[in-house]
Amino acid sequence: MKKLLLLFAFFAAVAQSCDEPEDPYAEQRDLLEKQDFKISQHLEENNITAVKDDYGIYRVALEENPEGEEIAFGDVALVNYTISQLDGTLIGENEVESMRLGYLDPNQNNIQQRYLPTALFVALGHMREGETYRFYVPFNTAYGNFDLTGVVPNQSIIVIEMEVEEVYQTKEELFAADLAAIDSAVVAREDTVTDTLSTGIRKVLLEEGEGEMVDANDVVSVEYTGYLLNGKEFDSNTSAGDPLFEFVVGAGKTIPGFETAVKSMKKGEKAVFYIPSTQAYGSDGVFIGPELVRSKFNAAIPPHSPLIFEIELVELVKK
């Protein structure tokens, strides 16, 4: 009888252990503890004093500006950054111009945070305009479990050094910054603006068209090439064999600024348009940085980016 009770107790214990699910986060917590120790050890060995936040990110103030603007959710910050591994191996930095980064809630899932290190958003919450900080970031708020073989070792600690140049707190401030950046690009490209559309779009006429202007509900077919303000091409349909881009004006099949640009054209016309970010992809662009990491993904337009489009109106069917 005693053996039977012991056997019953054994099977009961096995059944209970089977009912208890394994902790799916145990391995991650273990790795984070090891990385926290590794960061702490690095800081101690290099005589660096840092403050740890609730995300497990350590920060060091390199240049403070107590009088600078604070950054609130929804603001857009103009930043410069460098991202490295903990041993100092450079991963990359913003290549040419400063990067516009919207301050989003790090606890909310959004398309930017699927690619950007969440630590960038956490960092903005600690900073003011005119400040520079260094952040030591464990893998879960860095590049996580993305497969970045040959670019960033999997589940890596990263170090972000970031400077906040300016903060745009309203759409009006961001729009003004867009126009200033556009006008600088116009000068750099030695273009001559022939018209400024009502939405702030700068137009440079290359070849005149003929006939009627485009109206809402017209069907248009165009060739185009899109560029960032730094001249980097991100899209085009001008190669041999590429189909024309056909759409109904006003149907919302393209960004507002592209439609506004086309509505200013006649058949056969060719022009360059400088489009503010508010008339382009706004905050919906996906910034994947730096360049070495971006090569692993297919997303070329950073958020809050003014754009340049060279457009030729090939066909026009009036409504």
Side-chain angles (χ1 to χ4, degrees), residues 204-219:
V204 179
L205 182 63
L206 301 179
E207 296 177 17
E208 291 195 19
E210 57 183 22
E212 297 181 71
M213 302 275 287
V214 175
D215 290 310
N217 301 316
D218 289 347
V219 180

Side-chain angles (χ1 to χ4, degrees), residues 211-257:
E212 297 181 71
M213 302 275 287
V214 175
D215 290 310
N217 301 316
D218 289 347
V219 180
V220 297
S221 298
V222 303
E223 286 190 344
Y224 70 90
T225 302
Y227 305 91
L228 303 179
L229 283 192
N230 63 9
K232 186 174 292 184
E233 180 182 318
F234 63 82
D235 194 15
S236 179
N237 72 336
T238 60
S239 298
D242 286 345
L244 295 174
F245 175 39
E246 180 182 296
F247 64 96
V248 178
V249 176
K253 297 299 183 181
T254 185
I255 57 174

Side-chain angles (χ1 to χ4, degrees), residues 96-265:
V96 182
E97 71 289 337
S98 303
M99 172 179 112
R100 289 175 171 181
L101 181 62
Y103 180 29
L104 306 175
D105 187 343
N107 299 308
Q108 297 296 317
N109 184 32
N110 65 81
I111 192 167
Q112 288 186 42
Q113 287 169 224
R114 295 175 199 167
Y115 302 96
L116 267 175
T118 303
L120 286 173
F121 301 104
V122 177
L124 289 180
H126 294 301
M127 301 181 70
R128 293 173 177 263
E129 187 175 56
E131 293 191 330
T132 303
Y133 271 73
R134 185 185 301 126
F135 299 88
Y136 296 84
V137 184
F139 86 98
N140 64 319
T141 49
Y143 291 106
N145 294 307
F146 274 126
D147 182 9
L148 300 171
T149 306
V151 177
V152 182
N154 189 37
Q155 297 182 326
S156 288
I157 298 169
I158 64 171
V159 180
I160 301 173
E161 193 162 305
M162 191 159 73
E163 171 198 13
V164 176
E165 284 189 17
E166 293 184 66
V167 178
Y168 311 121
Q169 297 178 316
T170 66
K171 291 181 179 179
E172 291 75 17
E173 289 178 348
L174 184 58
F175 182 65
D178 277 350
L179 296 186
I182 284 172
D183 290 340
S184 294
V186 168
V187 172
R189 288 166 57 97
E190 299 182 346
D191 279 338
T192 300
V193 173
T194 52
D195 193 12
T196 298
L197 308 184
S198 60
T199 52
I201 295 173
R202 278 39 171 167
K203 179 177 181 177
V204 179
L205 182 63
L206 301 179
E207 296 177 17
E208 291 195 19
E210 57 183 22
E212 297 181 71
M213 302 275 287
V214 175
D215 290 310
N217 301 316
D218 289 347
V219 180
V220 297
S221 298
V222 303
E223 286 190 344
Y224 70 90
T225 302
Y227 305 91
L228 303 179
L229 283 192
N230 63 9
K232 186 174 292 184
E233 180 182 318
F234 63 82
D235 194 15
S236 179
N237 72 336
T238 60
S239 298
D242 286 345
L244 295 174
F245 175 39
E246 180 182 296
F247 64 96
V248 178
V249 176
K253 297 299 183 181
T254 185
I255 57 174
F258 197 95
E259 289 200 341
T260 300
V262 170
K263 286 176 71 174
S264 75
M265 303 180 75

Side-chain angles (χ1 to χ4, degrees), residues 81 92-97 230 232 287-292 294:
Y81 72 92
E93 54 196 350
N94 48 292
E95 293 82 40
V96 182
E97 71 289 337
N230 63 9
K232 186 174 292 184
F287 186 90
I288 300 174
E291 182 69 27
L292 200 60
R294 190 179 305 126

